[in-house]
Every structure is written in structure tokens, then in C-alpha cells.
Amino acid sequence: MNLPRMLLLLLTISITSSFQMQFMLLFSRQGKLRLQKWYVPLSDKEKKKITRELVQTVLARKPKMCSFLEWRDLKIVYKRYASLYFCCAIEDQDNELITLEIIHRYVELLDKYFGSVCELDIIFNFEKAYFILDEFLLGGEAQETSKKNVLKAIEQADLLQEDTKVSFSPSFLMVWSRNAAEVRDSCGGSEQASWVKTAFLLLVSTERKFWITLNKDMLRKIKMQAPL
């Protein structure tokens, strides 16, 4: 984002200090929900109803139609990026343009972190998408407009996460998964051994490096043949 646009975002946020987003939804062109963040207390039944209605309403609109619409007692602001729709709900007196800027800034943060972000990045790294959103918005209000500060906080969290997890390379997982007999003996049962082997085979089937944390209680339950 260039300097004039950043200054406009900062100025608008300062003027509309009472701005508060009600919720944000990310869904695909097929209507699959990829991310949801609620800033107002609602029941699960009401959340599902709202999600279903909004997804159907937004997907039914034509590409050249306005990105703002009135829905119930709220205003809906949405924008499509590639195969994903970013949809936000704000109160009637809130500014639609600042909501568009917030959506765009969130997309920029995702793109900066993942590098040309796509729908698959959100699917397989949804916890990172939530973390970036939480660093950017707090209680539905923008708490940090600097991309540099947000990404720095995420990098620090990634380093902390790596320090608390154990690294296994795909080649190591392949060797371990082949030793089914040893896994069966260490687990004390064929059912648990099959579960462990299947989990590792799923990890090996990808080309990335995975991080695994095995809880001590889970290991104890496996060895005792207790149900997980």
C-alpha cells in the first residue's frame, strides 16, 4: 500500500473511532466456508443461519453489482479476491469504505505472509489466517495498521512454536512407518499401531516438512490400549 492510501486508512480509523465490525466470513465460489470470526455473542444456530443466508445472497449477486448491501439491521460489505469472498458486517452508521480498506489490508497481510496467497493456503493453514486476523483486528476494531508490525509479531510466534515442537523429516517418517512390527510392539496393540502408521503415512505423502507434538497423555493411552 502506498503512503497516501496508508494515511487515508489511518485518518479514517481515527475519525471513525466507534467503528466496530460485527463479524467476518471467508467463503469460496462454491459456498464453502473457509474462515469465520464473530465479534458479537451469538448462538451456534444463529451463526449457521446467518452464514447460510449471507453466502447465498452474496453468491447470487452479479460481478458488476455494488459491494455494499443492506441486510436486516446491518450493512454487508464484501469483496472478491480470486476464488474467495471476504464478507464483513457493520452497523448502519459505520463507514463502508473503511471496511473495504480493512478487508484489503487483511488480504495484503495474507499475501505478504504466504506469498501470493490462495484458497489452499487458507485451508491448510487456517490457524495462521486466524492469528493474522487477531493481530490486525481486536474486538472488531483495527488495532494495528502497520503490516511490518503485524508480520513481525507473527514471525515471533512462529519461532516460539518451532522451539516447542519436534521436527521430523519426511524420510525419517517413511522409515518409521515401514517398521510396522516395531510400532505394534511399542503401542501394545495392532489397532493403535495401525492408527499411528496411517497418521505418519498421511504426513509422508506431502512434500513439506511437518511439525508434530505428541502429548504424553496420548502416548500413555496408546500404550495402555485405552480409547483415544
Side-chain angles (χ1 to χ4, degrees), residues 178-190:
R178 289 175 180 173
N179 297 329
E182 295 182 7
V183 175
R184 184 181 299 108
D185 294 339
S186 62
C187 293
S190 59

Side-chain angles (χ1 to χ4, degrees), residues 5 7 31 56 69 104 106 128 150 160 168 170 188 194 203 213:
R5 191 170 183 177
L7 293 176
Q56 293 176 354
L69 62 98
H104 187 71
Y106 181 49
K128 297 298 182 183
V150 173
L160 181 62
F168 291 94
S194 177
L203 293 174
T213 301

